[in-house]
């Protein structure tokens, strides 16, 4: 019976791959994207857009996560050398200067939610180091930020369609919007749920941790 089921699973996988880019993969989702766009996203006077987080209607209470984030941030900093800390700090200062984030002057650790983060490095001339925020981080028996947000439908273009269009013409162009997500503002009522910690004095890895929060979509 197990071998028969295994054969059925392999056959289903084969045919799903054969119809990639042809079959309709649309699935129903309880999240109403049209309603969210109409009621939770609006355009500011300066032309930029502001969006609220797509909260689930009945999600479990989201903990602050301060103790976990503090421990993970301190542990992450201690693994970095001085040059890495300097580069890390430069990214945060750039985000601060571009108004993507802001410093929380009088932080209340019992309110909102904190997000751990770490650096990812790659061979790239534009973004050799990128800060990744772990919105799936959670404490035992408590939800993460991602657990409390609607996932919605996949809006990514099908890879088969991209490859087919890529072969039509003799020359292909690619482009990337610099910091695309960060150019969408986050509604002020949701900003306290995107707090994170960083060194008050980057030249001293053991210095106190200060609180920042996002003013833009992560």
């Amino acid at each position: 019976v197990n071998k028969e089921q295994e054969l059925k699973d392999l056959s289903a996988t084969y045919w799903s791959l054969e119809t990639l880019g042809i079959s309709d993969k649309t699935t129903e989702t309880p999240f109403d994207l049209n309603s969210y766009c109409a009621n939770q996203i609006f355009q500011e006077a300066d032309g930029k857009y502001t969006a609220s987080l797509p909260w689930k209607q009945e999600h479990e209470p989201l903990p602050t996560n301060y103790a976990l984030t503090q421990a993970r941030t301190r542990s992450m900093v201690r693994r970095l050398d001085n040059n890495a800390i300097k580069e890390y700090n430069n990214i945060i200062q750039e985000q601060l200067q571009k108004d993507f984030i802001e410093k929380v002057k009088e932080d209340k650790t019992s309110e909102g939610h904190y997000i751990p983060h770490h650096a990812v490095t790659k061979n790239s001339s534009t973004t050799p180091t990128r800060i990744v925020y772990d919105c799936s981080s959670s404490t035992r028996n408590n939800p993460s930020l991602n657990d409390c947000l609607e996932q919605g439908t996949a809006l990514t273009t099908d890879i088969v369609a991209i490859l087919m269009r890529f072969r039509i013409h003799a020359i292909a162009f690619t482009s990337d919007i610099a910091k695309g997500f960060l150019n969408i503002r986050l509604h002020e009522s949701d900003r306290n749920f995107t707090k994170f910690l960083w060194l008050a004095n980057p030249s001293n890895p053991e210095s106190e941790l200060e609180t920042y929060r996002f003013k833009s979509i992560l």
Side-chain angles (χ1 to χ4, degrees):
V1 177
N2 291 335
K3 289 186 177 180
E4 182 178 351
Q5 184 61 47
E6 183 179 354
L7 182 60
K8 288 182 179 180
D9 293 341
L10 287 172
S11 298
T13 302
Y14 170 78
W15 287 113
S16 65
L17 291 174
E18 284 294 300
T19 58
L20 188 64
I22 301 174
S23 61
D24 185 7
K25 298 185 296 182
T26 303
T27 56
E28 294 184 0
T29 173
F31 177 53
D32 188 343
L33 181 60
N34 291 329
S35 176
Y36 169 76
C37 291
N39 299 300
Q40 302 298 329
I41 301 176
F42 56 92
Q43 192 171 16
E44 304 275 7
D46 60 2
K48 284 199 172 186
Y49 287 90
T50 293
S52 299
L53 294 176
W55 295 102
K56 291 180 179 177
Q57 290 187 356
E58 297 180 0
H59 64 80
E60 296 181 39
L62 184 64
T64 63
N65 251 22
Y66 179 80
L68 172 67
T69 302
Q70 181 187 43
R72 285 188 54 177
T73 303
R74 186 65 73 185
S75 175
M76 181 270 298
V77 168
R78 287 170 179 165
R79 293 195 302 269
L80 301 176
D81 58 33
N82 292 335
N83 290 332
I85 291 177
K86 182 179 179 180
E87 188 172 0
Y88 211 106
N89 185 66
N90 288 340
I91 296 173
I92 291 178
Q93 294 306 312
E94 180 189 13
Q95 291 182 342
L96 192 63
Q97 186 268 329
K98 292 187 175 181
D99 207 33
F100 296 154
I101 62 175
E102 63 184 353
K103 186 178 293 187
V104 181
K105 296 181 180 179
E106 297 181 3
D107 185 31
K108 296 181 179 179
T109 58
S110 60
E111 297 180 0
H113 182 76
Y114 295 81
I115 305 173
H117 52 88
H118 62 275
V120 172
T121 58
K122 60 180 180 178
N123 294 326
S124 170
S125 59
T126 55
T127 54
T129 300
R130 185 165 57 94
I131 299 177
V132 176
Y133 295 86
D134 185 6
C135 295
S136 295
S137 174
S138 63
T139 54
R140 181 175 296 182
N141 299 324
N142 284 307
S144 66
L145 177 59
N146 280 347
D147 291 331
C148 297
L149 301 179
E150 295 285 3
Q151 183 174 352
T153 54
L155 302 178
T156 307
T157 305
D158 188 271
I159 186 64
V160 173
I162 294 174
L163 291 175
M164 291 179 67
R165 290 197 302 272
F166 189 84
R167 296 172 64 89
I168 292 175
H169 303 287
I171 300 174
F173 292 90
T174 63
S175 63
D176 185 18
I177 301 174
K179 299 177 176 58
F181 284 109
L182 290 171
N183 280 284
I184 302 174
R185 293 193 180 111
L186 179 62
H187 196 280
E188 190 168 357
S189 61
D190 288 336
R191 293 177 184 175
N192 269 348
F193 297 97
T194 64
K195 294 192 288 187
F196 66 95
L197 305 173
W198 181 239
L199 296 171
N201 181 10
S203 61
N204 179 12
E206 298 300 324
S207 64
E208 294 184 3
L209 296 175
E210 294 183 324
T211 302
Y212 294 81
R213 68 177 188 174
F214 273 87
K215 298 178 68 176
S216 300
I217 297 293
L218 279 76

